[in-house]
Amino acid sequence: ARLYAASPLPAPAVHYADFACWQRERMRGEVLEKQLAWWRERLARLPQLLELPADRPRPPVQGSRGGRCEEPLSSRLSEALQALCRRQGATPFMALLAGFQALLGRRTGREDPPVGTPIANRNRAETEGVIGLFVNTLVLPADLSGDPSFTELLRRVRELTLDVYAHQDLPFEKLVEDLRPQRDLSHAPLFQVMLILQNAPLAPPAVPELELSLLPVESSTAKFDLTLAVVERAEGVRLLQAEFNRDLFDRTTVARLLGHLVSLLAEAVADPGRRLSDLSLLPEPERHQALLDWNDTGTRFPEGLCLHDLVQAQAERTPDAVAVVCAGEKATYRELDRRANRLARRLRAAGVAREVPVGISLERSLDMVVALLAILKAGGAYVPLDPTYPPDRLAFMLADCQRGIEAPVVVTREWLLRNREAIAAENDEAPATGARPEDLAYVLYTSGSTGRPKGVAIEHRSAVALLHWAGEVFPSEDLAGTLASTSINFDLSIFELFLPLSRGGTVILADNALALAGLPEAGAVTLVNTVPTAMAELLRLEALPASVRAVNLAGEPLTPALVEQIERRPGVRRVLDLYGPSEDTTYSTFARRTADGPATVGRPIANTRAYLLDRWGRPAPIGVPGEIWLGGDGLARGYLHRPELTAERFVPDPFAGISGAPGSRLYRTGDLARFRRDGRLELLGRIDHQVKVRGFRIELGEIEAQLCRHPAVRKAAVLLHEHAPGDWRLAAWVVSAGGPCRPDDLRAWLGERLPAVMVPSSFGFLEALPRLPNGKLDRRDLAARSLPVEGGGDAFASPKTEEERRMAAIWTEVLGVAQVGLHDDFFRLGGHSLLVARVIARLRRDFEVDLPLRSLFQAPTIARLLELVRRSSQSELQRTPRIGALSRSAGQLRSRASLGRGEDA
């Protein structure tokens, strides 16, 4: 071995074993260390897994079932590719590698997709005649940063490949041993995609007295996720062959990928100075399909109508039909219309006119429906102010929406009582307001990433477009008894209230979906519109009536298992999965779901366009994740008094010329999805830090901003954790500012400032939040940690009094635990906002008290909650400052908001 290491390689007749020994010795010492150092630097930030969009989830153990397909290259493209390579001093392999890596980057969203490639490893003259397999494997990391032109990318690839070839002697297994990547049986280490240049002569060697011919080899195995072989002939590159893992991909998917590579290469060689983001992947037929065929939803609907016009017209058609039912109280269409007209006239006298926002803070009742309709009839726009929200939040919302209004109006229970006689004396004919379809109908405040709620401004024509579509989809039998259980602070209430009222159905009011279990009118409910979490709870309680014909679910992923449970219920004829943000008037797409069907949210509703675009605004191919951009008649006007945010999220439609909608806009949803082959959308998640918890849209940044305002908190991060399958909860990680910082204090602090659903269930404490090399928060690191553990509570104390035992019985039933102590924390036992609502409902029934939802966040133990119950029985909690705050002048509210929110006022 020393002789081999110190001298040139012996004659070509050397044995393979001797050569291998010589090679190992040669790679020891200084040469080995230099090559290892070079590779470490190049591959330091290599992704553990390049997850190409696949047809099936990756199995836990990588299989080898393989398939093959191929795509020819035209002679014209091949010649153009060679000409480009000659001009740039590159080889066809380098150009194809550049195109392949650009394609991988567009499909995965990464700027560094690694590609493996084999190399002959015969870079010394002495090895040319040696018999044996010397092939080594190299890793070629991409550099797509800065959105370079194809010319610039080709230059980068040329430099990289030349450097790699200069360091090719290091065996691949030695590289893996040194880098120690996280080993996983589901995929190969360092790279999962390979590129091979097949340029060996096709003619068999000439052997005396033998006639040789090529024997085609049919392979049915795959060594990697995807292997692309480029076949080169004397006249140039003429064929692309793909070997793929059938556990991940269908043949049609890989064939489509090869077609996209050919399209990208054709555009690149035609204009190599264009940036990669400007190169289209889609052939014209696919582009036409994605932009036009799947968005051909235009329908005509009555123009010139406002939301309240639809209800008034229905009242004229069926005046004696029951319009609304609530807690035994009923109102016909005639009664509802006349009461709304009288209240509308009183609102007009108070200064309400077109485009004037009017706050409404009423419990769910017939008066609430009358008030909503009356505000619209007066020409105003209603702004829901949920009485259960913290006073500071309500004050901010009201001050924001009524900015610049001299005489703001807020419809509360006190306001109605104060104006009762004046309202009764008004004429019951509808006032003439001159309201137009482009006028503001309502403003819904949603969670804001900066810590401030933002108001989504919806015009009448958008709401009318939604109701026109829904009226075509839902027959009158479905709308005969529509459960209205969603808070009017959320957009689902538009569907639940105004759809049945515009089609002759009956609105059956309930505090929430779970209240259906004890609702006297439950047997008349024909349509339930809620979120999957609430529906699962209704099924668990066996509270879904046999009268229900249709179930609409939105706001959360809908699993096939839940669909199957619903389908088993007698009477249910269909289950619909609906998707849409408030900024597009409630619903944008829909699909009828079956237990054995795909989990999709379907295609756009009428007069809606849904584009799936990559981060450069280019149409995403089938199966490739992209952001949903929405257009059409449902789009909101924007965010109230937030022109910068409106301009950021509502952008000019780049496809207006194609869609025939000049001057139109698109809303960037931030939702990730992918197209299935039939054009239906499959939701994948978010591109930002917005989440959905039991159907409520939440910006994690708003919770983090409120936490950081606590004097004991220096930094905070909030994530969504899956506590149990299908049970998603918020968890907060906190860095203390140095003083005492307890979960109970933080929970009570947030409960005073945020809706109950936005208060995390658990809190954990860290010395510092984990950071990425670029300084950003490492949310993946936090997500990988166990749910925060808050530590033990006080010693177990058994309930002793009758009150304590009654309260403990409610908790054990709701939480599903065997026993509860007086000092056990509701949230440590598994409580969350949906269960909070159940406890509050039980307290209303069993203790005859009406506590706000935030009570459990302020008093999360039986002992402390009983104190609130006792005080409430003396009417202290029932006279909370929230209604008083809403009755103050706009100037007082602005002062309160400024004092409470500092720079955010």
Side-chain angles (χ1 to χ4, degrees):
R2 286 192 297 273
L3 177 64
Y4 289 149
S7 63
L9 191 69
V14 68
H15 295 291
Y16 177 74
D18 292 338
F19 172 79
C21 179
W22 172 84
Q23 181 80 334
R24 283 197 304 271
E25 287 296 318
R26 180 172 167 270
M27 285 305 301
R28 287 179 182 171
E30 184 178 349
V31 175
L32 174 63
E33 285 305 319
K34 284 184 178 180
Q35 295 229 354
L36 275 175
W38 187 90
W39 280 107
R40 287 192 202 107
E41 181 182 353
R42 291 296 182 278
L43 306 182
R45 297 184 179 179
L46 202 69
Q48 290 289 340
L49 174 63
L50 183 69
E51 196 70 84
L52 275 172
D55 297 297
R56 287 169 289 280
R58 183 178 295 275
V61 178
Q62 182 178 2
S64 61
R65 296 189 315 121
R68 297 172 68 87
C69 63
E70 58 185 38
E71 177 80 14
L73 265 67
S74 66
S75 57
R76 182 178 179 181
L77 177 56
S78 179
E79 291 167 3
L81 196 64
Q82 288 182 307
L84 174 64
C85 291
R86 286 193 295 268
R87 293 196 303 270
Q88 300 298 324
T91 66
F93 174 80
M94 295 174 183
L96 289 161
L97 175 61
F100 191 39
Q101 289 184 325
L103 176 69
L104 294 176
R106 291 281 289 272
R107 282 184 163 259
T108 63
R110 296 199 63 97
E111 294 183 341
D112 56 352
V115 174
T117 190
I119 193 164
N121 204 19
R122 292 177 182 267
N123 56 338
R124 295 173 64 91
E126 298 94 324
T127 63
E128 284 298 322
V130 180
I131 299 173
L133 181 66
F134 301 155
V135 173
N136 193 18
T137 301
L138 305 178
V139 185
L140 302 168
D143 179 10
L144 307 177
S145 59
D147 190 21
S149 65
F150 190 78
T151 301
E152 169 60 19
L153 177 60
L154 185 55
R155 185 193 63 78
R156 294 179 188 180
V157 169
R158 180 180 182 276
E159 291 182 359
L160 172 70
T161 51
L162 292 177
D163 275 351
V164 166
Y165 294 157
H167 297 83
Q168 65 176 288
D169 293 327
L170 184 70
F172 180 73
E173 59 270 19
K174 184 66 178 177
L175 182 62
V176 174
E177 177 185 334
D178 182 78
L179 292 179
R180 296 180 181 177
Q182 181 179 349
R183 302 308 292 267
D184 192 322
L185 292 176
S186 67
H187 61 82
L190 300 188
F191 68 89
Q192 294 79 45
V193 176
M194 177 171 272
L195 177 65
I196 300 173
L197 178 64
Q198 298 284 18
N199 58 357
L202 284 181
V207 179
E209 301 181 3
L210 284 179
E211 181 180 340
L212 303 180
S213 60
L214 294 175
L215 178 66
V217 178
E218 293 294 334
S219 173
S220 60
T221 62
K223 295 168 281 299
F224 299 98
D225 292 357
L226 178 67
T227 300
L228 177 63
V230 180
V231 180
E232 189 177 42
R233 302 285 187 264
E235 63 273 20
V237 177
R238 302 308 298 269
L239 189 66
L240 301 178
Q241 294 179 331
E243 176 186 275
F244 58 92
N245 191 313
R246 289 168 55 199
D247 289 343
L248 298 175
F249 304 105
D250 293 332
R251 187 182 185 281
T252 53
T253 300
V254 179
R256 194 161 44 243
L257 181 146
L258 293 181
H260 295 164
L261 178 57
V262 171
S263 296
L264 186 148
L265 289 172
E267 291 210 1
V269 299
D271 187 1
R274 292 170 63 188
R275 293 188 177 275
L276 298 182
S277 59
D278 291 333
L279 302 178
S280 176
L281 301 184
L282 301 186
E284 185 53 36
E286 285 189 45
R287 179 180 169 85
H288 187 280
Q289 183 184 56
L291 297 180
L292 292 176
D293 294 350
W294 290 342
N295 285 295
D296 186 13
T297 63
T299 60
R300 296 183 61 86
F301 62 94
E303 298 180 1
L305 295 178
C306 295
L307 198 53
H308 54 278
D309 293 333
L310 302 179
V311 182
Q312 184 169 315
Q314 184 61 46
E316 294 172 358
R317 288 192 295 268
T318 58
D320 297 321
V322 176
V324 183
V325 176
C326 181
E329 187 180 6
K330 297 181 180 180
T332 65
Y333 275 88
R334 179 188 290 112
E335 292 167 342
L336 176 66
D337 190 56
R338 289 178 176 177
R339 288 181 60 177
N341 288 340
R342 288 193 291 269
L343 179 54
R345 288 180 173 274
R346 185 59 193 163
L347 291 171
R348 295 280 293 178
V352 176
R354 290 173 46 210
E355 294 285 313
V356 173
V358 179
I360 173 171
S361 182
L362 293 171
E363 70 281 1
R364 300 184 69 76
S365 61
L366 180 57
D367 284 342
M368 181 194 76
V369 181
V370 170
L372 291 174
L373 194 55
I375 293 171
L376 298 176
K377 282 175 170 280
Y382 68 82
V383 183
L385 302 166
D386 194 322
T388 66
Y389 277 10
D392 285 350
R393 189 180 184 87
L394 292 174
F396 171 83
M397 291 163 59
L398 189 56
D400 182 68
C401 75
Q402 296 188 333
R403 191 185 306 176
I405 297 176
E406 294 183 3
V409 177
V410 183
V411 180
T412 64
R413 176 62 55 193
E414 292 176 358
W415 190 91
L416 291 175
L417 291 174
R418 197 165 56 243
N419 290 272
R420 179 172 53 188
E421 293 182 1
I423 295 170
E426 293 284 359
N427 190 306
D428 59 11
E429 295 293 326
T433 62
R436 300 174 300 186
E438 59 269 25
D439 288 346
L440 200 60
Y442 58 86
V443 178
L444 297 181
Y445 276 84
T446 67
S447 180
S449 59
T450 63
R452 291 192 303 164
K454 54 184 183 290
V456 180
I458 301 292
E459 297 174 347
H460 280 277
R461 59 183 173 187
S462 297
V464 170
L466 170 74
L467 297 188
H468 173 72
W469 161 79
E472 297 295 320
V473 172
F474 295 91
S476 57
E477 294 84 2
D478 287 356
L479 303 177
T482 302
L483 180 70
S485 60
T486 304
S487 166
I488 60 172
N489 278 61
F490 299 96
D491 52 9
L492 296 185
S493 63
I494 308 304
F495 180 95
E496 295 175 346
L497 295 174
F498 289 101
L499 175 60
L501 290 178
S502 65
R503 293 284 171 163
T506 299
V507 173
I508 301 174
L509 285 174
D511 286 342
N512 53 64
L514 299 184
L516 184 58
L519 198 67
E521 301 85 7
V525 173
T526 56
L527 187 148
V528 175
N529 194 65
T530 186
V531 296
T533 307
M535 178 53 60
E537 187 68 10
L538 281 174
L539 294 174
R540 189 186 71 82
L541 297 173
E542 298 185 355
L544 192 66
S547 57
V548 173
R549 295 169 48 92
V551 173
N552 292 350
L553 297 171
E556 295 174 332
L558 176 56
T559 64
L562 181 58
V563 175
E564 184 179 8
Q565 286 182 275
I566 300 171
E567 288 178 335
R568 291 201 204 109
R569 300 294 301 172
V572 174
R573 288 167 171 78
R574 58 179 180 166
V575 179
L576 293 186
D577 195 352
L578 301 112
Y579 158 80
S582 299
E583 289 83 350
D584 195 41
T585 316
T586 310
Y587 293 140
S588 307
T589 72
F590 79 111
R592 183 169 183 175
R593 290 285 302 275
T594 58
D596 56 353
T600 79
V601 292
R603 291 189 178 182
I605 69 172
N607 301 305
T608 297
R609 300 188 304 279
Y611 300 122
L612 206 58
L613 307 180
D614 62 21
R615 57 178 173 161
W616 296 285
R618 295 277 180 177
I622 294 172
V624 177
E627 181 184 1
I628 300 176
W629 295 37
L630 297 171
D633 293 331
L635 279 198
R637 177 184 295 180
Y639 297 110
L640 194 67
H641 306 313
R642 304 283 290 276
E644 299 84 2
L645 184 59
T646 298
E648 176 187 334
R649 302 309 294 267
F650 293 85
V651 299
D653 183 355
F655 312 112
I658 301 175
S659 64
S664 60
R665 302 173 302 153
L666 296 178
Y667 170 66
R668 302 189 59 175
T669 67
D671 290 322
L672 274 178
R674 63 179 180 180
F675 276 128
R676 296 175 61 87
R677 294 172 197 163
D678 56 6
R680 287 183 288 181
L681 284 169
E682 180 182 345
L683 289 180
L684 301 175
R686 292 284 303 176
I687 62 174
D688 56 16
H689 304 309
Q690 185 188 109
V691 299
K692 286 283 187 79
V693 178
R694 288 173 282 284
F696 296 96
R697 191 169 98 180
I698 294 173
E699 293 279 3
L700 298 179
E702 182 172 3
I703 308 174
E704 293 167 351
Q706 290 292 353
L707 270 174
C708 289
R709 289 178 181 142
H710 191 285
V713 175
R714 184 159 59 90
K715 293 184 182 298
V718 180
L719 278 79
L720 192 63
H721 279 269
E722 191 172 23
H723 181 75
D727 183 5
W728 292 90
R729 304 184 184 183
L730 294 172
W733 298 91
V734 174
V735 176
S736 171
C741 193
R742 298 183 0 178
D744 289 353
D745 296 336
L746 298 179
R747 193 175 285 120
W749 168 275
L750 292 177
E752 288 290 340
R753 291 160 177 79
L754 298 173
V757 73
M758 296 178 68
V759 180
S761 297
S762 52
F763 292 81
F765 299 91
L766 300 171
E767 293 185 1
L769 295 177
R771 300 286 176 183
L772 295 167
N774 60 9
K776 294 183 179 180
L777 177 68
D778 191 347
R779 292 185 178 271
R780 287 190 177 184
D781 180 282
L782 289 178
R785 299 171 184 251
S786 301
L787 277 171
V789 178
E790 301 173 8
D794 298 331
F796 183 83
S798 300
K800 294 181 174 59
T801 69
E802 177 61 25
E803 274 187 332
E804 291 170 351
R805 285 192 290 269
R806 286 167 59 200
M807 181 77 77
I810 294 174
W811 282 36
T812 54
E813 178 185 333
V814 170
L815 293 170
V817 295
Q819 62 178 0
V820 179
L822 291 179
H823 306 296
D824 288 344
D825 188 286
F826 179 82
F827 300 96
R828 294 183 197 176
L829 294 174
H832 51 70
S833 58
L834 184 64
L835 299 182
V836 167
R838 287 185 59 193
V839 170
I840 295 300
R842 287 293 304 275
L843 292 179
R844 187 181 300 120
R845 188 189 75 183
D846 296 355
F847 285 81
E848 298 182 351
V849 294
D850 191 9
L851 297 179
L853 285 176
R854 66 176 183 273
S855 301
L856 260 173
F857 296 97
Q858 299 168 328
T861 67
I862 289 178
R864 293 169 61 184
L865 189 59
L866 275 173
E867 293 179 12
L868 293 184
V869 170
R870 296 185 188 107
R871 287 160 50 194
S872 179
S873 65
Q874 302 169 11
S875 301
E876 290 183 17
L877 275 180
Q878 291 177 330
R879 291 194 300 269
T880 58
R882 57 181 178 271
I883 297 300
L886 294 173
S887 302
R888 298 176 185 174
S889 68
Q892 290 174 307
L893 287 171
R894 290 192 193 94
S895 299
R896 176 170 184 170
S898 300
L899 290 172
R901 305 187 71 87
E903 71 280 359
D904 281 340

